[in-house]
Amino acid sequence: MMPGTAPQTIATDIAIIGSGAAGLMATIHASDSARDLDITVVSKGAVARSGCSIMTLGFNAAVGPGDSVETHFTDLLRRGEFLNDQQLAWVLASTAPEMIDELGRYGCLFDRTPDGALTVLPFAGQSVNRHIARREQTGLEIMSRLRDQVLRIEPRLLEDVRALDLLRSDSGDVTGVVLLDMRSGKPIILSARVVVMATGGAATIYRVASPAREKTGDGLAMCLRAGAELRDMEMMQFLSVGLAAGPSRISGLLLSEVLRFAGGHLTNVAGHRFMADSAPEAMERASLEQIVRASYTEIVEGRGWQNDGVLLDVSHLGAGVVADRYPELVDRSRLAGHDLTTGPVPVAPTSHFQIGGAVIDADCQSTLPGLLVAGEDAGGVHGAAWNGGNGIAESTVFGARAGERAARLATERPHQDAAAGQIADILERHHAPLTRDQGTVPATIADRLKEAMWQGAGPVRTEAGLRRAADTIDELRDEAAQTMAPALIESNPRWHEALDVGNQIDVAAVVVQSALEREETRGVHFRDDHPDRDDAGWLRYVVARADGNRLELDSRAVALDRLAPGREEAP
Amino acid sequence: MAGNKTRRADSAATPSGNNGFVKLTVRRSDPTAPAVFDVPGAEPMVVLDVLLAAQQHRDASLAFRFSCRAGRCGTCTVRLNGSAVLACQTPVAVSTELVVEPLGGLPVVKDLVVDMAPFHARWSEIVRLVEPGPVVTASGGTDQTLLDSSRECISCGACYAACPVAASGRAFLGPAALARAAGDYAGPAARAPASVMGSRGFTGCHSVGACSVVCPRDLDPALLIRSLRRGRRGRFT
């Protein structure tokens, strides 16, 4: 421990780690369940502003004409290629409609038809229109109104405070979490009856990625280090339309898949519409995974624009039409030095959504007593592929359930002491970068990690490539143990980058090992050396668990209790 | 409302003689810390890239905030050559000079990081007064621009920092919070709480309009405050 930094201790009933949609819904529902609960929300960045919920384009709920819970459920399983936890998928489909009503009660406006019914938009991967939106501002609308509601509740809001690691009792119960106030640099020991983990995945572990900077897998890494089981960690959803803007930090920001369906052309640097090679009928309207794989292949085989992206062109639709339909996307293209209205824009597959995560039950209970997990940090809902609009539905539905479960648990579970030595160990490990006179720069390690993941564990995978990525991760882990940051504790960005990259490495290692385990192709997981889906061998989900420094992998049969491949009628 | 306002940094900046570099001057909270950085130019480049390059390669302790990079989270607001911008949404041409300062009117935590607590406290005060619940919808004849102004705030604080009344240190609630109230306060104006209508609220506004000029999302809090004060909105009369 650093001298002079004796930790402050706070005792709370419920500790909620993360202030995205899942964390805020958990806060609201815990408070609604029992008003007198002491609730603490820990937010690595600005409350309600530091995750990806705010970027949401739309919310999937079966409320439109011809839609039903059964149909939404069936779409989830088809998209997820039957790897989903069917109980969780059913909870999502059946609860999403009431979430729309609930958000309305908090003041959320959604687009409606002139007669007042919710507008449901078409979206790839849905058999019925069910995408509910607030023009281009759906995520902003939802998060702004959820934040307002949380401000009415007045929980303890710890903003610009990151969580370092979970605390556990001698018997293995989660008893709280060690925090670090990023402004003051001072640690906080948050003792809690229940911890809700909702930090939002680690999609930032790839070279091109869309999420907010805070999403460095802190929650998953904490769950892993505490011994919780993670599932489906090989499943990382890429979108095809990340801005390819070289070293600029705007790289990875999303244009929209809609541009392909509107008639956009994808070409390589030679001007060839490369989808003609792998999907001559569908061309740019091929499935997302086909587009992502083909674009990725063009780029890694050297046919990309400046080795960075393929070219997406909608300018033939007419400058006026493009400017009128997609004003925000046009602005974004111009920011990258191009212009959607007049010519092609370089795009690359961008890592967007972590499908896998902690093993949970329908009430978000993880495999550790006292730890609930909700939203992108949890696994099982989406199976082997995610669809736009189901992520925000998951965060709100399961955030709410986590909050209610936490309120019940808080009445049953006492505060417990953490096992001896644990707090000192955690603080010492996390302060280490400040104590070194020389060492590696964390951003360099992060760049190499992201490159290794892109090369070896990206949209197209082979055993050899995954093993190379694993070797690089091992090297980087050693180097990350020697990072250095200036010896000051207040507002020290390099220190936090060092802590971030430690978490990113822990998560990346699980992604790679899980991807090695799954010797088939399913959903977003494409093994070039095992290109077929193997239902006979692999209707199984990969479970990872850390035992000290060793990672244990295992696979378990999916319970096909409602639907199975070939038996795809509604349950 | 359309996307973020895109102001090129070069339009406000003076060309630098140092070809291929961007000359960055930052107001540091420690006056002895390095404040001038030559950062290699690149294409494309936004103000955030320049700040990150200075932090990575020149001074690791340079502090600023950012998150989403897409103009939604409102955390990277800084003053660039005197006016508030989102660092992630402001392109930079090579061979220009940038002077970057923290937002005014708010306490500085470190370098470009300001304490948004006064802004959030006022916002919270308003949302606790405003009943949550279904409000007038777009199809109900409400002026769309007004509704947008009240709902699509990204809480970047630019308006608050630009408002001379809010910056004067008085208890004035400021443009963002009042615009929020104007959009959602469901009740007759005459019965609105004194804090909303009184000198801390609408009558405290001096109609300077700086808030609407500076808003990086092109929202119009000044118009909302003005129209609400005149009782023009159906729900307030």
Side-chain angles (χ1 to χ4, degrees), chain A residues 247-320:
Chain A
S248 173
R249 198 68 187 223
I250 63 172
S251 270
L253 285 182
L254 294 175
L255 295 177
S256 169
E257 301 292 338
V258 164
L259 298 174
R260 291 193 285 117
F261 294 96
H265 292 172
L266 282 167
T267 57
N268 62 20
V269 75
H272 173 54
R273 280 176 72 187
F274 55 86
M275 287 314 296
D277 306 334
S278 54
E281 295 290 318
M283 295 295 285
E284 285 85 358
R285 291 185 174 85
S287 76
L288 177 57
E289 274 64 51
Q290 283 177 296
I291 299 280
V292 163
R293 281 165 204 162
S295 301
Y296 176 82
T297 304
E298 293 298 312
I299 296 165
V300 296
E301 292 183 356
R303 295 185 295 276
W305 185 83
Q306 297 188 354
N307 289 324
D308 206 21
V310 293
L311 294 165
L312 173 64
D313 194 354
V314 289
S315 61
H316 53 274
L317 302 178

Side-chain angles (χ1 to χ4, degrees), chain A residues 49 105 107 135 137 141 147-148 151-152 160 210-211 213-214 248-249 251 253 328 493-494 497, chain B residues 1 49 55-56 65-67 69-70 72-73 110 123 127-128 132-133 148 151-152 155 180 217:
Chain A
R49 289 288 187 268
R105 290 198 296 278
R135 287 177 290 144
Q137 315 290 340
E141 174 73 358
R147 185 180 61 176
D148 288 350
L151 291 171
R152 293 178 186 112
D160 292 337
S210 64
R213 69 173 315 200
E214 288 85 0
S248 173
R249 198 68 187 223
S251 270
L253 285 182
E328 196 145 359
R494 187 160 290 179
E497 285 171 7
Chain B
M1 192 114 305
D49 292 320
Q55 186 189 67
Q56 284 303 336
R65 243 178 157 201
F66 76 98
S67 174
R69 311 165 292 144
R72 288 288 169 87
C73 73
K110 186 182 172 189
W123 182 279
V127 299
R128 285 172 196 144
D148 289 344
R151 305 192 72 79
E152 296 183 1
S155 31
R180 174 79 181 86
R217 302 281 298 177

Side-chain angles (χ1 to χ4, degrees), chain B:
Chain B
M1 192 114 305
N4 300 300
K5 228 180 249 182
T6 304
R7 298 190 180 98
R8 275 198 91 78
D10 56 354
S11 62
T14 41
S16 154
N18 196 351
N19 231 358
F21 281 78
V22 174
K23 185 181 173 193
L24 169 70
T25 306
V26 181
R27 194 203 293 166
R28 307 292 301 266
S29 37
D30 172 2
T32 67
V36 182
F37 308 92
D38 282 324
V39 171
E43 194 59 55
M45 196 172 209
V46 295
V47 170
L48 175 63
D49 292 320
V50 179
L51 294 172
L52 282 164
Q55 186 189 67
Q56 284 303 336
H57 305 298
R58 301 286 189 269
D59 184 351
S61 72
L62 176 64
F64 51 90
R65 243 178 157 201
F66 76 98
S67 174
C68 77
R69 311 165 292 144
R72 288 288 169 87
C73 73
T75 60
C76 67
T77 331
V78 292
R79 260 190 303 177
L80 171 71
N81 302 324
S83 53
V85 299
L86 300 177
C88 74
Q89 295 294 301
T90 309
V92 177
V94 291
S95 308
T96 50
E97 284 190 37
L98 311 181
V99 178
V100 180
E101 301 166 283
L103 276 184
L106 292 158
V108 174
V109 174
K110 186 182 172 189
D111 298 337
L112 301 174
V113 181
V114 295
D115 183 1
M116 293 288 284
F119 175 88
H120 290 309
R122 286 160 173 78
W123 182 279
S124 300
E125 187 178 335
I126 288 298
V127 299
R128 285 172 196 144
L129 292 171
V130 173
E131 280 293 304
V135 295
V136 180
T137 59
S139 57
T142 311
D143 183 293
Q144 192 63 51
T145 310
L146 284 180
L147 206 63
D148 289 344
S149 313
S150 76
R151 305 192 72 79
E152 296 183 1
C153 173
I154 58 170
S155 31
C156 70
C159 60
Y160 186 90
C163 171
V165 188
S168 70
R170 276 173 282 184
F172 183 55
L173 288 164
L178 289 174
R180 174 79 181 86
D184 266 17
Y185 184 76
R191 277 190 247 139
S195 54
V196 178
M197 296 309 292
S199 65
R200 295 188 60 218
F202 296 121
T203 50
C205 169
H206 291 189
S207 302
V208 177
C211 49
S212 297
V213 172
V214 79
C215 177
R217 302 281 298 177
D218 278 342
L219 307 180
D220 197 348
L223 177 65
L224 256 171
I225 293 170
R226 207 160 55 239
S227 67
L228 190 116
R229 194 159 54 182
R230 291 174 189 159
R232 275 193 189 159
R233 285 205 66 202
R235 297 166 54 220
F236 252 78
T237 50

